[in-house]
Amino acid sequence: MEGEMLANEDIEVSTDHTSDAPFWHYPLAEREAQSRVKVVSEVVVAGAQLGRTIGFPTANMILGHDVDLEAGIYAVQFIRASGECHFGVASFGRRPTVVENGELILETYVLDFADDLYGETCSVRFVEFLRPELRFDGLEPMIVQIRKDVVLARRVLASEGPIAPLGVADGGGT
């Protein structure tokens, strides 16, 4: 897998495991069983609309600075306030390719989805860390990488099986 998989330092790894594999290495079902799944909930806000112009519209959420989450790209489950669930690819970080010293933001490209989410409180369940946040030499290399991230996320999420409703072994939120 591209990039280094990073662990959430506040999560205690069970002594049942024989390796020192990081948190994100374990399948979602195993993390859920051990209440080790990271979920955040926040209102979807309007962004700069760049994702829409490059073919990857995102649901943007401003998370508190105290959120314990590594900057990077994740395969996620996106849950609307109604309980409707979708797969997605999320970027958490400062968007170094497009903004100098940007604000921390969670941007989720919801796969196979085209509805308005502004003002809706939604949740993002982090399934797997895909890679660290990178600075690209322009939009074209970034778009190429986003396409690769989407392919990888689809593969990861397909192996996870059906989406469980939020609140069922979700490990709580931020």
Side-chain angles (χ1 to χ4, degrees):
M1 185 172 297
E2 182 175 337
E4 179 181 309
M5 296 179 81
L6 302 173
N8 181 330
E9 294 176 12
D10 290 341
I11 296 174
E12 190 173 309
V13 176
S14 169
T15 55
D16 318 354
H17 298 290
T18 56
S19 74
D20 290 329
F23 167 70
W24 295 109
H25 176 77
Y26 299 112
L28 178 61
E30 184 174 342
R31 292 195 315 267
E32 283 182 334
Q34 297 178 24
S35 297
R36 296 167 29 166
V37 175
K38 180 65 130 181
V39 177
V40 296
S41 298
E42 195 54 71
V43 174
V44 175
V45 297
Q49 308 295 316
L50 176 63
R52 182 176 310 238
T53 66
I54 63 172
F56 298 96
T58 58
N60 303 313
M61 299 173 170
I62 308 299
L63 306 180
H65 289 282
D66 60 340
V67 68
D68 185 22
L69 189 63
E70 292 288 339
I73 310 304
Y74 296 83
V76 301
Q77 295 173 343
F78 186 88
I79 303 99
R80 298 186 71 179
S82 66
E84 180 182 328
C85 300
H86 301 272
F87 290 137
V89 180
S91 170
F92 178 68
R94 299 185 185 276
R95 302 168 293 141
T97 302
V98 297
V99 178
E100 189 72 30
N101 297 317
E103 165 181 39
L104 278 173
I105 188 168
L106 177 64
E107 301 173 294
T108 304
Y109 173 56
V110 183
L111 302 175
D112 308 315
F113 183 83
D115 202 356
D116 181 11
L117 296 166
Y118 296 126
E120 188 174 325
T121 299
C122 297
S123 299
V124 176
R125 177 187 285 150
F126 296 87
V127 175
E128 187 166 316
F129 183 86
L130 301 178
R131 66 173 176 83
E133 181 176 49
L134 303 171
R135 177 170 169 54
F136 296 94
D137 293 327
L139 291 181
E140 284 307 314
M142 183 178 76
I143 292 168
V144 168
Q145 183 60 54
I146 292 171
R147 288 183 183 130
K148 292 177 183 178
D149 296 339
V150 168
V151 169
L152 178 57
R154 283 186 189 278
R155 190 175 324 133
V156 166
L157 294 164
S159 70
E160 292 297 334
I163 301 174
L166 192 60
V168 177
D170 66 25
T174 303

